[in-house]
Amino acid sequence: NDHFFFIETREAVPNIQLITDIGKKAVYKHGCNALIIDPYNEVSAKREGNVREDEHIRDFISILKRFARVYENWVAVVAHPTKLPKTTDGSYLPPTAYDISGSSHWHNQSDAVLTIYRNSEDNSINVLTRKIREQDLYGKIGQVKFYYDLDRKCFIEKSAGDWDDFTV
């Protein structure tokens, strides 16, 4: 409760204006320095005139980037991919930002892109850094594998030699 404030809009489907207005209030009232929109597909997709979906997403991302700069906030959007195609062996490849429904702007405009991929074969979670605009300043491209430890009720990173007392 000291670090997270959950905001829900029960009366209406939120649009980007409502989200940034609430975000501004949270910055001033609580000193918030991060905004996470989860999930994107529950944000209003209403567009005026003949605005295409890709233009709507472009503007959505631009507004959030401006919010981040002006209010010195870290902003993340959880956006789900379209249905991924199966490989020849019946498995799925980890998604990229280009697999997110709606537009390549998710990759092109974002400063950083992470994808989370559940590998059902070994019950692991892979976190893949797909894009870092300024590598070495903000991070680098790579991946890490986690497993859920039932005893400790947390995800732990898989590294060599860690697994003697691990319970899946």
Side-chain angles (χ1 to χ4, degrees), residues 4-166:
F4 292 91
F5 298 93
F6 293 90
I7 301 165
E8 288 189 67
T9 55
R10 295 172 191 237
E11 295 80 33
V13 176
N15 60 30
I16 189 60
Q17 185 64 50
L18 178 61
I19 291 168
T20 55
D21 287 347
I22 292 170
K24 291 172 198 176
K25 291 175 186 172
V27 168
Y28 292 128
K29 185 174 181 180
H30 302 291
C32 289
N33 58 9
L35 173 67
I36 302 172
I37 299 169
D38 181 13
Y40 167 75
N41 63 348
E42 290 190 16
V43 175
S44 176
K46 287 184 182 175
R47 303 181 295 271
E48 295 192 21
N50 294 327
V51 175
R52 297 185 320 260
E53 183 179 21
D54 65 312
E55 294 171 324
H56 171 74
I57 292 169
R58 177 202 61 208
D59 295 344
F60 178 86
I61 294 169
S62 293
I63 290 166
L64 290 175
K65 288 178 80 168
R66 194 170 322 116
F67 174 87
R69 281 191 307 274
V70 169
Y71 296 97
E72 298 180 357
N73 258 248
W74 177 81
V75 176
V77 178
V78 177
H80 298 277
T82 58
K83 186 173 181 179
L84 297 171
K86 286 188 177 184
T87 61
T88 55
D89 68 359
S91 64
Y92 297 96
L93 293 174
T96 70
Y98 292 111
D99 295 317
I100 299 170
S101 181
S103 176
S104 61
H105 289 303
W106 290 111
H107 183 274
N108 299 341
Q109 281 188 270
S110 298
D111 293 329
V113 176
L114 299 176
T115 61
I116 312 297
Y117 172 71
R118 181 179 298 146
N119 184 336
S120 56
E121 289 181 23
D122 66 359
N123 201 29
S124 66
I125 301 292
N126 295 290
V127 179
L128 299 97
T129 309
R130 295 294 196 177
K131 178 183 180 181
I132 299 291
R133 187 171 304 280
E134 296 186 43
Q135 291 190 44
D136 294 326
L137 181 60
Y138 299 119
K140 58 186 177 181
I141 301 298
Q143 69 179 22
V144 64
K145 184 180 263 194
F146 294 94
Y147 288 91
Y148 190 73
D149 185 328
L150 291 172
D151 294 335
R152 293 183 246 173
K153 296 190 178 13
C154 66
F155 286 97
I156 57 174
E157 182 179 350
K158 180 177 179 7
S159 56
D162 284 353
W163 300 98
D164 296 336
D165 62 345
F166 180 70

